[in-house]
Amino acid sequence: MNATRTAPGPDPAPAGPTRTDRLLAALGGLVSAYVALAVADLASFWVRPEAGPVVAVGGTVVDRTPAALKEWAIRAFGENDKTVLQLGILLLLALLALGIGLLALRHRALGAAAVGAFGLLGAVAAVTRPDSASVLDAVPSLVGGAVGALLLYVLTGRLLTPRPGTARADRRGFLIVAATTGLAATGAAAIGRAVGSPVQENATASREALRLPRPTSAAPAVPAGAQLDVPGISPFVTPNRDFYRVDTALVVPRIDADRWRLRIHGSGVREERTVTLRELLARPTVERDITLACVSNEVGGPYVGNARWLGVRLADLLREAGVRPPSEGGPADQLVARSVDGMTIGTPVEAVMDGRDALLAFGMNGEPLPFAHGFPVRMVVPGLYGYVSACKWIASIELTTFDAYDAYWVPRGWAAQAPVKTQSRIDTPRPFARPAAGTVMVAGVAWAQHRGIRRVQVRIDDGPWHDARLAAEDSADTWRQWVHPWAATPGRHTLTVRATDGTGATQPEERTGTMPDGAQGWYSVDVTVEGP
Ligand SMILES: Nc1nc2c(c(=O)[nH]1)N[C@H]1C(S)=C(S)[C@@H](COP(=O)(O)O)O[C@H]1N2
Ligand SMILES: [Mo]
């Protein structure tokens, strides 16, 4: 028989979670995920910063992103692309965490298990990264996942247990646990960051202790006339802090120079060799000004810089190891450099050994390489885009063939071989500038590394080409400044620039995209000259 309710009043047995409970449950998911990430972050400081879950998952995403999407990301976000990626991952995790919190309210154990599963996912990503040092890399994600799972289990427990003496969920208990664990995790992570990673301390110390040798072959002094006195032009030497940075590393590798080794091996190597930094520093050193450019640089783009590099000749080391270029009958036509973070960069052996200043560099503008630019040692080869020559954080060099091996970017749609294309850029006036009528200095840089710049021309609207005044040439491997004093008349004008390289070839007018082997075409800026 059904009990008939006769007395009016509050329902003594709540039918299920209220809206507030569900809100709190979702919050519980968020707090658990946050604490899990903070704990994993802290743990990664002891294991290896690269082994943190966001970095590991992010790296996996980077490696699997279709090239076109990556190109778009670089265009849309520039050098902030990595930050945007990590924020995206965190946002996605936050949404999932809200859902998992709600799930836990129905199936407490399942919700906790879901948090643990994300920990497992991070762990798998960490140990399968190309730079993964050991299974220890799984630890940060596993510890974070376990702590997060436990916390969600406890938090949901509060919501499912009536507060003593009442029929309502223990919201107070929930909030106390959520707030204390959230605060504790924030504090611990902050202290961890302030103290710094113990595994990175040696790297910083080793860089500070490094004394660069005097160059055996010093770079000729930069000619006085190489730097034009025009406000707004790119300085001839790009300061390290302004030098563009392009790489796939979500955490900049910090290598202890005392433990660094370079292994040289492969086809045509008489005897496999491993060299230390000390051994490199003891060799004859070469200092050269070389302009580095990225294949992802659009016409007029910023991914180019000029620095004074100090290093040793790579060709000499290779010869000592028995390597001969293809033109001398050597079996290997491709040199594959591998970095500590698993990047692979394929360079023609012929280019490295044809007499140009292909360097294993350890100095940049008078200081040891900054960590972001490859400390302790990177490659620099004049005339080739960075992705086919300039391996940072280099760990090994393998002699092989282009037929036998595709380096990182090749299966992603980029050319296996990519000499730098001639480009010229107007630095000033800026696009959409509003200069006053009168003489306006139109100026910028042009580059065609290893061929040199012979001529730069400027055109106003559809008028004739004017030869710009070229700054003194430092070397064929560096960019060259130019300036054209323009008698600017009021109104809208389009300024166009084109350069001719040392072989006499002039930049073609038609623009192409960066893929597969670098952008080309003339660069223009539109300006409006103000009347008097
Ligand atoms: N280990 C490693 N080396 C790398 C890269 C990378 O992603 N990883 N990117 C290359 C690319 S695409 C360029 S253009 C240059 C950029 O060097 P920079 O960051 O010092 O300017 O480094 C090259 N070396
Ligand atoms: Mo690049």
Side-chain angles (χ1 to χ4, degrees):
M1 200 182 100
N2 280 338
T4 30
R5 195 172 281 166
T6 50
D11 193 333
T18 63
R19 171 176 296 198
T20 311
D21 291 339
R22 280 201 293 275
L23 215 73
L24 288 179
L27 178 69
L30 203 60
V31 171
S32 305
Y34 173 75
V35 170
L37 285 175
V39 167
D41 191 46
L42 194 61
S44 75
F45 275 59
W46 269 273
V47 176
R48 233 162 53 87
E50 294 89 332
V54 176
V55 172
V57 170
T60 306
V61 172
V62 168
D63 286 355
R64 298 186 178 218
T65 303
L69 186 61
K70 194 151 17 187
E71 266 298 274
W72 170 82
I74 289 180
R75 249 194 323 279
F77 307 119
E79 297 188 39
N80 295 323
D81 56 347
K82 297 183 190 66
T83 317
V84 172
L85 170 69
Q86 299 196 57
L87 286 178
I89 290 176
L90 288 177
L91 192 71
L92 191 68
L93 277 181
L95 290 175
L96 288 167
L98 292 171
I100 289 176
L102 286 172
L103 170 72
L105 200 56
R106 293 191 174 278
H107 307 280
R108 193 175 171 200
L110 200 62
V115 175
F118 274 97
L120 208 59
L121 201 76
V124 170
V127 292
T128 52
R129 298 264 59 225
D131 64 330
S132 176
S134 69
V135 289
L136 272 184
D137 283 356
V139 169
S141 293
L142 290 181
V143 173
V147 171
L150 184 69
L151 178 59
L152 184 62
Y153 194 77
V154 170
L155 283 174
T156 337
R158 292 297 90 210
L159 293 178
L160 294 172
T161 320
R163 180 143 176 236
T166 74
R168 280 201 295 114
D170 184 10
R171 290 178 188 159
R172 220 179 96 117
F174 172 93
L175 288 173
I176 289 174
V177 177
T180 43
T181 49
L183 282 177
T186 306
I191 291 172
R193 294 211 165 249
V195 170
S197 167
V199 293
Q200 292 186 335
E201 256 166 42
N202 295 337
T204 309
S206 73
R207 184 172 181 275
E208 274 158 17
L210 181 59
R211 296 284 163 268
L212 293 177
R214 274 173 162 286
T216 319
S217 164
V222 175
Q227 170 71 56
L228 298 175
D229 186 16
V230 179
I233 201 171
S234 303
F236 178 74
V237 176
T238 315
N240 289 352
R241 64 172 182 285
D242 299 334
F243 207 95
Y244 82 94
R245 177 186 160 206
V246 170
D247 55 60
T248 57
L250 292 175
V251 169
V252 172
R254 289 178 179 251
I255 302 164
D256 178 349
D258 299 325
R259 289 162 164 246
W260 177 84
R261 299 282 183 278
L262 174 69
R263 173 174 171 232
I264 301 175
H265 64 118
S267 156
V269 175
R270 211 184 311 111
E271 203 179 334
E272 182 176 322
R273 260 187 95 167
T274 300
V275 291
T276 63
L277 183 59
R278 191 181 291 273
E279 286 165 338
L280 280 193
L281 294 169
R283 297 177 64 87
T285 53
V286 182
E287 179 192 54
R288 293 292 180 265
D289 297 334
I290 298 167
T291 297
L292 187 63
C294 181
V295 71
S296 293
N297 198 46
E298 301 278 350
V299 170
Y303 303 136
V304 55
N306 182 46
R308 177 157 285 202
W309 308 95
L310 177 68
V312 300
R313 276 179 187 288
L314 180 51
D316 294 350
L317 261 176
L318 294 176
R319 287 225 179 257
E320 287 168 26
V323 176
R324 282 168 298 128
S327 60
E328 293 175 31
D333 63 0
Q334 180 177 221
L335 178 160
V336 174
R338 275 193 183 74
S339 69
V340 298
D341 62 328
M343 173 54 61
T344 53
I345 286 186
T347 312
V349 175
E350 198 64 54
V352 169
M353 302 186 79
D354 71 0
R356 74 183 76 193
D357 295 311
L359 304 180
L360 280 174
F362 33 71
M364 182 178 183
N365 289 331
E367 56 168 308
L369 286 178
F371 287 112
H373 294 289
F375 182 84
V377 179
R378 76 176 303 169
M379 269 175 61
V380 180
V381 183
L384 306 179
Y385 285 120
Y387 86 106
V388 287
S389 68
C391 188
K392 305 195 274 189
W393 315 295
I394 193 170
S396 72
I397 285 177
E398 179 180 4
L399 278 297
T400 177
T401 63
F402 282 101
D403 278 346
Y405 186 78
D406 281 341
Y408 184 89
W409 289 108
V410 178
R412 292 169 171 83
W414 297 88
Q417 304 204 33
V420 170
K421 291 186 180 167
T422 306
Q423 280 201 17
S424 49
R425 182 176 77 192
I426 297 172
D427 289 336
T428 179
R430 308 288 309 157
F432 311 116
R434 305 183 74 90
T439 303
V440 170
M441 292 298 191
V442 181
V445 282
W447 59 93
Q449 291 92 306
H450 212 54
R451 300 185 298 279
I453 291 292
R454 180 182 293 176
R455 180 189 218 184
V456 171
Q457 295 167 297
V458 177
R459 187 179 72 175
I460 315 299
D461 302 318
D462 293 323
W465 288 100
H466 303 280
D467 279 348
R469 181 161 76 77
L470 286 177
E473 178 172 69
D474 180 55
S475 90
D477 294 338
T478 54
W479 61 10
R480 204 161 171 187
Q481 296 183 344
W482 55 267
V483 61
H484 173 66
W486 167 42
T489 52
R492 260 198 71 172
H493 296 286
T494 300
L495 315 175
T496 305
V497 65
R498 70 176 187 193
T500 301
D501 72 10
T503 72
T506 300
Q507 281 181 263
E509 173 171 12
E510 207 198 320
R511 287 246 191 135
T512 67
T514 54
M515 213 162 194
D517 60 355
Q520 61 180 26
W522 297 345
Y523 178 61
S524 302
V525 301
D526 288 340
V527 300
T528 304
V529 177
E530 307 270 19

